[in-house]
């Protein structure tokens, strides 16, 4: 909050009482219109029998004010003006901080910081450099009113010659450079870049994660980076603007610290997830494979697998483990590894593979459920035998047909007393793609399941003819059609897995 100086902390009630205690005549004199004569302002009695009843004004009545004299301000007007200014500043600061905390990504938060800061300090351009002191990243540079070439030119200046560079190096710096071109001892390279880009002054502040402790929030401790605003003319913010921008940057640093921790956690989860999934898909004659996986930011349990089997066969599997977070990731890794072992031993019988997986899950993790689908494919014969446990049916995408494979219904793994669903055998035509997927693709649409299945069927049927020869293009088209607004963002609610196999 803004600190009110002690010298202006007065009792407003005392001021009002002082005004009430003033004499009535004195109050009338102060409120008398300027420029009117005393005769016009004095009270008059009615005329009687032609006698002028004008009486002279009382001796204590003030006379007219000269035209060149301004009436003094009422007592307390200066205090009220200052209080109004502080209330206005607090309102502005609250609105800007509220807009900042609504940002959910680092880039958006840095852009909002630059926009709000430019309004507070009165600058048109700026640059924010995120470079955490612990070296764990992420590191990025965001500009306001600066093109990529401009940012590159600024980065050619030695760090020790710029105010924000000294902050990044942990050196003390006043932050304000009101006239760069006239500043003595300025690095010639800095002066040259400033003249070329057309800025004549700068004001920089550190982004310190320690500020989160002052605001009662947790976050990355230590220096996060620096922010600098550039003026077109020699200038610097006054004391009031410095006070406002200082408070704003303190809260901004705490918010950025939380976003840095969140991005680091997401990056770690993505790394672990990628390590638990196949690093590359096998190359088996007669079939082309492609996979798309978009994981939950906190780590989901959806997975896929493709492994070569003896005699030129191929095992295809997709599945989903209940829950999210590190425990779901660990369970997913164990389930996938177990299925690979069972597939190598008895892959020709998908029912036996899933039966073994059901028994393992029920014995080792009785509180967890999972869905799975395993297909034993013989590409040379274009034949697939598959079985599913509580999983969504595959989808065949071809030039002449787009249809779901009719599979037997079964409960998920971990909920079966005995195996109930037999396997299903079908033969795709040459050039057709079999699409295996998890239910996250359907749930992310927000539609009821029957409508989501219809949307998926329509998306697969609308794949352009030129893209049908590439299973990766088929998967990308389905993703773009089903989730157009989430293609380039992390999935917030469900994992999405697509495994496409095109048969020659």
């Amino acid at each position: 909050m803004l600190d009110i100086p002690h010298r202006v902390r007065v009792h407003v009630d005392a001021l009002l009482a002082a005004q009430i205690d003033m004499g009535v005549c004195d109050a009338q004199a102060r409120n008398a219109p300027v420029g009117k004569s005393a005769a016009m302002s004095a009270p008059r009695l009615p005329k009687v029998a032609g006698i002028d009843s004008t009486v002279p004004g009382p001796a204590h009545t003030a006379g007219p004010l000269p035209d060149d004299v301004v009436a003094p301000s009422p007592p307390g007007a200066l205090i009220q003006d200052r209080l109004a200014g502080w209330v206005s500043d607090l309102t502005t600061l609250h609105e800007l901080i509220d807009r900042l905390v609504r940002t959910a990504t680092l880039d958006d938060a840095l852009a909002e910081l630059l926009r709000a800061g430019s309004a507070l300090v009165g600058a048109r351009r700026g640059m924010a450099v995120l470079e955490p002191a612990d070296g764990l990243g992420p590191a990025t540079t965001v500009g306001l009113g600066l093109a990529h070439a401009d940012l590159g030119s600024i980065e050619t200046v030695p760090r020790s010659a710029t105010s924000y560079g000294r902050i990044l190096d942990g050196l003390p710096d006043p932050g304000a450079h009101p006239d760069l071109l006239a500043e003595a001892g300025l690095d010639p390279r800095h002066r040259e870049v400033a003249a070329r880009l057309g800025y004549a002054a700068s004001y920089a502040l550190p982004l310190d994660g320690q500020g989160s402790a002052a605001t009662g929030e947790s976050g990355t401790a230590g220096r996060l980076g620096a922010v600098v605003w550039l003026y077109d003319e020699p200038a610097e913010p006054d004391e009031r603007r410095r006070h406002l921008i200082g408070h704003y940057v303190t809260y901004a640093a705490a918010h950025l610290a939380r976003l840095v921790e969140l991005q680091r956690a997401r990056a770690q989860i993505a790394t672990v997830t990628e390590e638990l999934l196949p690093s590359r898909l096998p190359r088996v004659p007669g079939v082309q494979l492609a996979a798309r996986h978009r994981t939950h930011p906190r780590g989901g349990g959806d997975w896929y697998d493709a492994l070569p089997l003896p005699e030129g066969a191929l095992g295809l599997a997709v599945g989903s483990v209940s829950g999210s977070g590190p425990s779901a990731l660990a369970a997913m890794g164990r389930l996938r590894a177990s299925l690979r072992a069972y597939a190598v031993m008895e892959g020709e019988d998908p029912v036996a593979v899933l039966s073994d997986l059901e028994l393992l899950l029920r014995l080792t993790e009785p509180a967890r459920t999972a869905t799975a689908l395993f297909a034993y494919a013989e590409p040379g014969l274009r034949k697939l035998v598959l079985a599913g446990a509580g999983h969504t049916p595959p989808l065949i995408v071809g030039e002449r047909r787009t249809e779901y494979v009719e599979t037997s219904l079964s409960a998920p793994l971990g909920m079966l007393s005995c195996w109930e669903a037999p396997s299903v055998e079908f033969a795709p035509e040459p050039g057709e793609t079999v699409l295996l997927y998890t239910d996250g693709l359907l749930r992310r649409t927000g539609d009821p399941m029957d409508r989501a299945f219809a949307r998926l069927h329509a998306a697969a049927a609308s794949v352009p003819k030129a893209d049908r020869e590439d299973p990766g293009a088929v998967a990308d088209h389905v993703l773009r059609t089903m989730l157009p607004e989430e293609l380039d963002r992390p999935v917030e609610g469900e994992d999405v897995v697509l495994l496409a196999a095109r048969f020659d």
Side-chain angles (χ1 to χ4, degrees):
M1 300 296 293
L2 293 177
D3 297 329
I4 301 177
H6 291 285
R7 62 176 180 271
V8 297
R9 291 181 179 173
V10 299
H11 296 286
V12 179
D13 294 338
L15 292 175
L16 294 177
Q19 294 179 11
I20 294 173
D21 290 341
M22 293 171 58
V24 176
C25 295
D26 292 339
Q28 291 177 353
R30 289 179 179 274
N31 297 328
V34 177
K36 290 186 178 181
S37 63
M40 296 178 61
S41 60
R44 292 177 178 272
L45 297 177
K47 291 182 179 182
V48 179
I51 299 175
D52 189 358
S53 60
T54 303
V55 294
H60 64 270
T61 302
L65 294 175
D67 294 338
D68 57 347
V69 176
V70 180
S73 301
L78 179 60
I79 304 303
Q80 294 176 2
D81 290 343
R82 289 185 178 181
L83 288 175
W86 287 329
V87 171
S88 176
D89 290 344
L90 286 173
T91 302
T92 301
L93 195 61
H94 174 76
E95 292 176 353
L96 294 178
I97 292 175
D98 184 66
R99 289 174 55 182
L100 176 69
V101 298
R102 294 178 185 273
T103 57
T105 64
L106 273 176
D107 288 342
D108 291 343
L110 290 172
E112 178 61 30
L113 167 62
L114 287 174
R115 285 193 297 267
S118 66
L120 291 176
V121 303
R124 188 173 61 89
R125 292 179 289 179
M127 180 176 67
V129 181
L130 192 68
E131 188 178 299
D134 55 14
L136 300 179
T140 184
T141 300
V142 178
L144 174 68
L146 297 172
H148 290 291
D150 299 335
L151 294 176
S153 298
I154 295 176
E155 291 177 350
T156 62
V157 179
R159 283 172 57 135
S160 59
T162 60
S163 57
Y164 74 90
R166 290 172 60 85
I167 291 174
L168 293 175
D169 291 336
L171 301 175
D173 192 89
H177 295 269
D179 193 349
L180 288 171
L181 301 182
E183 183 176 333
L186 187 67
D187 187 273
R189 182 63 178 166
H190 192 183
R191 182 178 286 106
E192 177 186 349
V193 171
R196 185 196 315 157
L197 299 184
Y199 65 89
S202 65
Y203 183 71
L205 287 175
L207 296 173
D208 192 353
Q210 296 287 359
S212 59
T215 58
E217 301 289 346
S218 61
T220 302
R223 189 205 68 229
L224 293 175
V227 59
V228 57
W229 290 276
L230 307 175
Y231 296 88
D232 296 340
E233 301 292 339
E236 63 177 324
D238 56 20
E239 182 179 357
R240 169 178 164 271
R241 291 178 179 269
R242 290 177 186 237
H243 195 61
L244 286 175
I245 193 63
H247 279 281
Y248 181 75
V249 169
T250 299
Y251 281 92
H255 182 61
L256 289 172
R258 293 190 294 270
L259 293 179
V260 166
E261 289 292 333
L262 180 60
Q263 183 160 330
R264 287 178 177 179
R266 288 179 173 177
Q268 293 171 357
I269 289 175
T271 301
V272 173
T273 303
E274 293 301 323
E275 291 296 327
L276 292 176
L277 294 176
S279 58
R280 61 182 181 86
L281 296 174
R283 296 183 178 180
V284 178
V287 64
Q288 303 177 41
L289 300 175
R292 299 293 183 266
H293 181 225
R294 302 178 62 206
T295 185
H296 190 282
R298 294 190 299 271
D302 288 15
W303 54 276
Y304 68 92
D305 204 352
L307 65 156
L309 296 175
E311 300 179 0
L314 176 68
L316 302 174
V318 291
S320 177
V321 176
S322 61
S324 63
S327 62
L329 284 175
M332 178 262 285
R334 293 191 293 268
L335 200 67
R336 172 177 170 265
S338 301
L339 186 140
R340 291 174 69 92
Y342 298 146
V344 171
M345 292 186 297
E346 45 194 8
E348 296 182 5
D349 187 357
V351 170
V353 172
L354 294 185
S355 298
D356 294 341
L357 202 61
E358 152 71 18
L359 179 61
L360 176 69
L361 187 66
R362 183 151 38 91
L363 293 177
T364 58
E365 299 186 57
R368 191 179 298 276
T369 61
T371 65
L373 186 146
F374 178 73
Y376 178 81
E378 297 180 85
L381 302 176
R382 290 196 303 278
K383 184 180 72 172
L384 281 87
V385 180
L386 65 87
H391 206 79
T392 51
L395 182 62
I396 300 178
V397 183
E399 294 185 3
R400 299 181 180 179
R401 62 172 176 170
T402 300
E403 62 185 22
Y404 289 102
V405 178
E406 294 185 3
T407 57
S408 301
L409 296 178
S410 172
L413 300 174
M415 300 178 64
L416 295 171
S417 57
C418 61
W419 194 260
E420 304 167 350
S423 60
V424 176
E425 180 178 331
F426 67 97
E429 298 294 331
E432 290 185 335
T433 299
V434 178
L435 190 64
L436 310 181
Y437 55 93
T438 57
D439 58 358
L441 179 63
L442 305 174
R443 297 183 186 277
R444 286 304 301 171
T445 62
D447 295 334
M449 292 304 289
D450 56 346
R451 187 176 300 177
F453 274 113
R455 287 185 58 177
L456 177 58
H457 184 278
S462 65
V463 176
K465 184 177 180 180
D467 293 340
R468 294 181 184 271
E469 299 180 359
D470 182 5
V474 173
D476 291 337
H477 177 85
V478 170
L479 273 178
R480 284 194 302 267
T481 307
M482 296 287 289
L483 309 173
E485 299 179 356
E486 301 179 355
L487 190 59
D488 299 323
R489 297 183 303 171
V491 178
E492 294 294 338
E494 298 278 348
D495 277 12
V496 175
V497 165
L498 287 174
L499 179 61
R502 181 183 183 276
F503 290 85
D504 298 337

